[in-house]
Amino acid sequence: MARILVVDDEESLRDTLAAFLSNAGYQVETAENVSAALERLKEGSFDVVVSDIVMPRVTGVELLQTIRQGSPRVQVIMMTGQPTIETAAATVRAGAFDYLCKPVPKDAILRCVGNAAKLKATEDERARMADELERQHKQLQDNYARLRELETLRDNLTHMIIHDLRAPLCIALGYLDLIKETAASKLDSKETGYLSTTLINICRLNDMIGSLLDISRLETGNMPLNRRACDMGKLARTVMDSFQSLLDARQLALESPAEPVMASCDEEVTRRVLGNLLQNALKFTPKDGRIRITVRRKDSMVWLEMADNGPGIPAEYHGKIFEKFGQVARTVRQYSTGLGLAFCKLAVEAQGGQIGVVSEAGKGSAFWFTLPPS
């Protein structure tokens, strides 16, 4: 319920207006002069002040100016028995909600106070929402800062762990290679298979550690890149040849112009990008499926695409799959990105290119990236 303060040095008018407003359901208090009004305003909050303009010692306009300075959302209605253009202009300049002439009819005061109370309620709600938005904004900033701290802590911890893992892993890998070379003739086929499987998985783990280190270097801009002119069709063919033993019945094709398509890039880093994308395609392409690598020029850039006819990826996951440690729900594609695509994104962008995917669930996927021409 809106609270109204009626200020007038004429007691009968104060009481009449107070009666009108009280009967209409408002909470009403009165004051006989500006000093009393200011005391009432200090004691409690009001939504609307109805004040006479001409009062002894301090005028209603001065009261209006004081209210505007301390409580800008309180709506003030000015009244006068001697209306002039000058007094009307003064109240407008001071920020009055409305200007009424005495004697004030009942319907006029009720209508005017009702509109002023609605405006005050609107302004209060707007201020409340602004305060709430400010609170939420600060909370988001605090949460973001905390997340950045946690991410930095996680990255530092990961970096420390992978450094500690690399040395014993390399020692184990070296000794296993030595065993394979010197003792293979003493092992039966089953034991040789165990040894080969162990070596493959240790190499995979070593590659993962390398990817983590490279991702960290790429994120901080400390990854050394040896950029030079590279024939992307030839590079794609080399990567394809290295995966021939993993194809089974899958078809792997390359579409590239007869003339060289030269890009300015780090050949070894780009080879790893292609290898990660091809490994990803093999993982999700059915045994009798098809994978196509396309190399061409597009919009002044060198364009490479790795397309498969696997299960595809829903649109809501297209951005997430390139995030470090990002994962896609296994019910969608049994898909865990690990670090491969995160490395691809950072490596391509570090060389001045872009990367993305075009895919729909059930319609295969086409991962693409661009590089600057040589």
Side-chain angles (χ1 to χ4, degrees):
M1 183 61 63
R3 296 191 68 208
I4 315 299
L5 176 62
V6 178
V7 186
D8 199 295
D9 57 348
E10 187 178 337
E11 183 178 3
S12 60
L13 181 58
R14 288 199 311 272
D15 293 343
T16 300
L17 292 178
F20 287 163
L21 295 168
S22 296
N23 292 336
Y26 295 106
Q27 297 180 15
V28 184
E29 293 189 29
T30 61
E32 66 276 11
N33 54 46
V34 171
S35 296
L38 292 174
E39 288 298 321
R40 300 285 190 281
L41 288 166
K42 288 180 182 178
E43 294 169 359
S45 60
F46 289 88
D47 299 296
V48 181
V49 174
V50 181
S51 175
D52 189 15
I53 293 178
V54 180
M55 287 186 289
R57 293 187 295 278
V58 183
T59 68
V61 172
E62 291 173 296
L63 172 62
L64 169 59
Q65 292 169 337
T66 302
I67 292 173
R68 279 285 159 268
Q69 292 174 2
S71 304
R73 295 199 304 276
V74 174
Q75 303 304 311
V76 181
I77 300 169
M78 305 304 295
M79 304 180 298
T80 182
Q82 300 174 346
T84 66
I85 295 176
E86 288 76 15
T87 57
T91 59
V92 170
R93 286 194 300 269
F97 174 80
D98 207 344
Y99 176 85
L100 300 176
C101 298
K102 296 180 180 179
V104 182
K106 178 180 178 181
D107 59 343
I109 190 65
L110 293 180
R111 181 174 61 254
C112 192
V113 168
N115 291 335
K118 289 178 182 178
L119 179 59
K120 172 61 164 51
T122 300
E123 294 293 332
D124 286 347
E125 178 63 15
R126 184 178 299 156
R128 186 196 66 78
M129 292 178 65
D131 290 343
E132 178 63 18
L133 286 173
E134 179 64 24
R135 186 193 66 78
Q136 291 181 5
H137 179 67
K138 185 178 184 307
Q139 184 65 48
L140 286 173
Q141 287 181 317
D142 293 342
N143 291 343
Y144 178 73
R146 179 57 178 159
L147 285 173
R148 289 297 300 271
E149 290 176 4
L150 292 174
E151 186 178 49
T152 300
L153 178 63
R154 182 194 66 187
D155 289 346
N156 290 340
L157 179 61
T158 300
H159 206 262
M160 180 181 66
I161 290 173
I162 59 181
H163 269 96
D164 290 344
L165 286 175
R166 173 157 268 188
L169 193 63
C170 288
I171 293 172
L173 184 59
Y175 277 114
L176 284 171
D177 277 330
L178 183 61
I179 291 172
K180 187 174 182 180
E181 291 178 4
T182 60
S185 59
K186 301 176 184 179
L187 303 176
D188 59 30
S189 59
K190 189 174 183 180
E191 291 169 336
T192 301
Y194 292 156
L195 181 59
S196 297
T197 301
T198 303
L199 277 168
I200 289 171
N201 281 279
I202 288 182
C203 287
R204 185 177 298 168
L205 183 57
N206 195 47
D207 289 342
M208 290 174 60
I209 291 174
S211 293
L212 275 169
L213 287 171
D214 288 341
I215 286 172
S216 178
R217 286 195 286 260
L218 285 166
E219 286 179 326
T220 57
N222 294 321
M223 178 80 165
L225 295 173
N226 180 25
R227 297 181 64 173
R228 60 185 182 84
C230 179
D231 185 342
M232 298 310 298
K234 183 178 179 181
L235 182 61
R237 174 61 66 185
T238 301
V239 173
M240 290 170 60
D241 290 343
S242 68
F243 278 82
Q244 287 298 320
S245 62
L246 302 177
L247 291 180
D248 293 331
R250 301 180 188 90
Q251 299 177 30
L252 178 57
L254 172 64
E255 293 182 9
S256 181
E259 67 277 6
V261 180
M262 307 301 293
S264 175
C265 64
D266 184 303
E267 183 172 341
E268 181 55 35
V269 170
T270 307
R271 186 197 309 274
R272 288 175 60 189
V273 171
L274 280 167
N276 283 344
L277 293 179
L278 182 51
Q279 186 176 39
N280 182 69
L282 287 170
K283 183 176 181 180
F284 299 108
T285 301
K287 296 299 182 182
D288 59 347
R290 301 180 308 278
I291 300 172
R292 184 188 71 255
I293 301 176
T294 302
V295 179
R296 60 190 173 97
R297 293 180 180 84
K298 180 180 179 182
D299 298 332
S300 75
M301 297 289 281
V302 175
W303 173 283
L304 292 94
E305 183 180 79
M306 186 83 60
D308 64 61
N309 64 341
I313 308 169
E316 60 265 30
Y317 296 111
H318 288 185
K320 189 176 181 64
I321 59 176
F322 292 102
E323 295 176 3
K324 184 172 59 173
F325 305 116
Q327 291 186 341
V328 173
R330 292 185 176 274
T331 55
V332 175
R333 187 176 170 175
Q334 296 187 349
Y335 193 96
S336 174
T337 65
L339 299 167
L341 292 180
F343 169 81
C344 290
K345 183 176 188 296
L346 290 168
V348 168
E349 291 177 350
Q351 299 183 90
Q354 294 181 310
I355 191 169
V357 62
V358 177
S359 182
E360 293 182 40
K363 296 185 179 181
S365 301
F367 284 85
W368 58 267
F369 69 92
T370 62
L371 292 171
S374 172

